[in-house]
């Protein structure tokens, strides 16, 4: 996601004056990478000889049960922070063209160039932050253990 969205934004910004070609190219890329994922995905062993257990409707319902807040506080904090971060990132990404056109007063073609540049910057900063924050989290021992 860290690399895919900015790269997709950059490709999409190059197709700003020809949306139909952009949609076709996007569909072809998604189809191609779907086949790539199928080709490299690790194969699971067959479950044909495994012992089967009977599953009731109650077992299914329990599997959707959320953990208790008192024992999973870190989970809920991480979940809330992640939802807020992704929501804010998506809001900016979705409305980026309108922001650049209406508030920076660029033409659609100029805005496409600005958005392409911003997507590269976003990708570099996001990847750098991910590489830095992992070791910091390890040293602080703040990750939840499940």
């Amino acid at each position: 996601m860290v690399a895919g969205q900015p790269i997709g934004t950059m490709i999409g910004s190059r197709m700003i004056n020809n949306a139909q070609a952009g949609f076709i190219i996007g569909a072809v890329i998604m189809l191609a990478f779907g086949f790539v994922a199928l080709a490299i995905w690790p194969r699971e062993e067959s479950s044909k000889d495994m012992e089967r257990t009977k599953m009731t409707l109650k077992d299914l319902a329990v599997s959707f049960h959320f953990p208790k807040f008192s024992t999973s506080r870190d989970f809920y904090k991480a979940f809330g922070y992640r939802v807020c971060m992704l929501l804010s990132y998506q809001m900016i990404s979705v409305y980026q063209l309108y922001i650049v056109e209406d508030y920076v007063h660029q033409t659609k073609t100029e805005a496409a160039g600005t958005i392409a540049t911003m997507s590269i910057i976003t990708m570099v900063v996001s990847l750098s932050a991910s590489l830095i924050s992992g070791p910091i989290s390890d040293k602080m021992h703040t990750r939840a253990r499940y």
Side-chain angles (χ1 to χ4, degrees), residues 11-25:
I11 292 170
S13 68
R14 299 291 178 206
M15 301 291 171
I16 198 149
N17 292 319
N18 191 356
Q20 186 175 6
F23 280 114
I24 292 170
I25 290 171

Side-chain angles (χ1 to χ4, degrees), residues 2-56:
V2 171
Q5 183 155 357
I7 290 171
T9 301
M10 188 174 58
I11 292 170
S13 68
R14 299 291 178 206
M15 301 291 171
I16 198 149
N17 292 319
N18 191 356
Q20 186 175 6
F23 280 114
I24 292 170
I25 290 171
V28 169
I29 289 172
M30 284 188 276
L31 181 66
F33 276 100
F35 285 117
V36 169
L38 285 173
I40 65 174
W41 198 266
R43 302 284 186 254
E44 290 184 12
E45 293 182 25
S46 175
S47 63
K48 184 175 76 171
D49 298 328
M50 288 177 65
E51 181 181 332
R52 295 177 189 236
T53 58
K54 188 139 181 134
M55 185 171 196
T56 65

Side-chain angles (χ1 to χ4, degrees), residues 43-125:
R43 302 284 186 254
E44 290 184 12
E45 293 182 25
S46 175
S47 63
K48 184 175 76 171
D49 298 328
M50 288 177 65
E51 181 181 332
R52 295 177 189 236
T53 58
K54 188 139 181 134
M55 185 171 196
T56 65
L57 192 56
K58 181 182 176 187
D59 294 333
L60 181 65
V62 168
S63 71
F64 286 100
H65 179 69
F66 287 102
K68 290 182 180 179
F69 184 78
S70 61
T71 59
S72 304
R73 188 168 181 260
D74 288 343
F75 167 78
Y76 285 106
K77 281 173 41 179
F79 180 77
Y81 295 152
R82 180 100 173 145
V83 166
C84 290
M85 182 191 70
L86 290 174
L87 184 62
S88 62
Y89 183 75
Q90 292 298 323
M91 287 175 64
I92 292 169
S93 179
V94 167
Y95 292 108
Q96 205 168 21
L97 177 63
Y98 304 114
I99 292 168
V100 174
E101 283 183 331
D102 294 344
Y103 294 101
V104 183
H105 304 293
Q106 290 186 344
T107 65
K108 191 177 276 192
T109 306
E110 292 170 335
T114 301
I115 291 170
T117 303
M118 288 170 59
S119 68
I120 293 170
I121 293 169
T122 300
M123 182 173 58
V124 169
V125 170

